[in-house]
Amino acid sequence: MDELEQRLEALMAVPDWMAPGAAPRYWKREPMACGTGLLSALPDSVRVPRFIAETNTSDTETWRWINFQRPGLWSNMVRRRIISV
Amino acid sequence: MQGTYLAGAPLPASDWLSRDPLTHWTADADVALKKLVDYRDHPIVQRIYPAEVIDTTRQLCKERPLFLEGRHRLPQTLCHQDVFRRNLFAQDDYTLAIDWEMMGIGAAGEDMAGLVSANLALREVDPTQGDALDKVVFSGYMDGLRDIGWQGDADLVRFGLVWFGWVGLYGCLRIAVRAMSD
């Protein structure tokens, strides 16, 4: 059984990241990708973060809980800020 | 996953999937290339980007529209669009893949191009190991596609990997020029 690490992320949208589709980055695309079953075709040898819950605090900010199946993991993407671990 | 779509499963039609992110990156890089040309006599620029590299890059840029058009003729699949070492975490029996916010429809080989070019450009892999990395990535990808049952043309995948590899490296130009400007 893998040890789980749970994190709370606060995402703040920036203008270039707010539109779906055409924009290279879309701030809500990742939870959609991981939450809609679109990645269920991945082989067993590849896993993705598990999104537990999400709360929209405003039009440009959302908080979400994520489980990583690897302790100590964190991405250095600048748009993210860890509020609590 | 990519093999499943290449083998005939219908591509997802969700409107939130990304389309053609590389066009955006290369537009940014065009600005950086112009700056590079303006400062081509600067000693730092000459050391990192010798004149022949700049000239070859400009030539490839001129031919870019032809290749960008051609990408849509390559077999299409679902891509992560930001695959490189910092987004992949190898565990004992699986790999954790994060940062899916660029995910969308792309060409066969496109993700693998990123795996090679971004790892080299961002020094996640020693540049002297570039050829070896390219061979391992391409052969592993093809093995995976064959395992799924895709019997398509490996040359098309190879074309996708090489072309998008160059586009990826070109896209990283904006980072390099910004660093030199600083």
Side-chain angles (χ1 to χ4, degrees):
Chain A
M1 181 71 179
D2 293 308
E3 189 176 348
L4 296 180
E5 178 184 17
Q6 194 169 75
R7 289 186 185 275
L8 175 62
E9 293 181 341
L11 272 70
M12 272 68 71
V14 293
D16 289 349
W17 291 31
M18 289 190 68
R25 296 186 189 274
Y26 171 47
W27 71 312
K28 292 190 174 179
R29 190 176 285 133
E30 185 170 42
M32 285 174 161
C34 296
T36 57
L38 211 52
L39 298 176
S40 58
L42 284 170
D44 292 341
S45 56
V46 180
R47 297 183 190 175
V48 299
R50 196 155 66 89
F51 289 79
I52 309 299
E54 185 173 47
T55 303
N56 290 317
T57 51
S58 74
D59 289 343
T60 58
E61 181 176 308
T62 186
W63 291 19
R64 67 191 192 193
W65 283 100
I66 297 176
N67 267 352
F68 288 105
Q69 291 175 304
R70 178 181 184 271
L73 168 68
W74 188 242
S75 159
N76 59 2
M77 299 296 286
V78 293
R79 79 190 188 287
R80 291 174 170 166
R81 184 176 302 157
I82 304 171
I83 300 299
S84 163
V85 177
Chain B
M1 178 180 76
Q2 298 200 345
T4 304
Y5 293 110
L6 291 173
L11 285 168
S14 309
D15 62 1
W16 50 266
L17 289 169
S18 71
R19 311 274 170 184
D20 212 7
L22 284 173
T23 298
H24 292 261
W25 303 143
T26 54
D28 287 349
D30 286 345
V31 178
L33 178 61
K34 185 178 179 313
K35 218 177 242 186
L36 207 57
V37 171
D38 290 345
Y39 290 94
R40 64 186 302 159
D41 294 330
H42 192 286
I44 293 177
V45 173
Q46 286 182 339
R47 203 173 96 200
I48 301 174
Y49 290 99
E52 63 268 26
V53 172
I54 294 178
D55 291 341
T56 303
T57 303
R58 292 176 79 186
Q59 184 57 39
L60 280 167
C61 278
K62 282 183 190 164
E63 297 168 6
R64 189 178 61 202
L66 178 69
F67 288 104
L68 280 175
E69 173 57 29
R71 70 172 288 199
H72 297 296
R73 297 183 199 168
L74 294 173
Q76 301 289 296
T77 188
L78 189 60
C79 295
H80 179 285
Q81 300 283 18
D82 198 15
V83 177
F84 75 121
R85 197 173 195 168
R86 293 179 198 172
N87 287 339
L88 300 172
F89 298 85
Q91 302 296 283
D92 289 342
D93 56 353
Y94 66 91
T95 298
L96 178 65
I98 67 168
D99 284 353
W100 293 83
E101 65 271 348
M102 287 174 61
M103 175 180 170
I105 307 301
E110 192 167 334
D111 265 349
M112 298 307 102
L115 191 57
V116 175
S117 64
N119 275 328
L120 293 174
L122 299 174
R123 307 295 293 231
E124 294 293 334
V125 174
D126 188 326
T128 63
Q129 301 298 309
D131 287 344
L133 176 66
D134 172 56
K135 284 192 178 78
V136 167
V137 167
F138 181 64
S139 64
Y141 186 62
M142 286 308 304
D143 287 348
L145 295 183
R146 298 302 187 214
D147 283 348
I148 291 288
W150 186 68
Q151 297 301 322
D153 187 350
D155 286 344
L156 289 178
V157 178
R158 184 69 196 156
F159 175 84
L161 196 156
V162 171
W163 165 243
F164 288 110
W166 178 80
V167 173
L169 284 172
Y170 179 60
C172 289
L173 195 64
R174 70 194 194 284
I175 301 171
V177 169
R178 192 167 58 224
M180 284 191 284
S181 300
D182 291 345

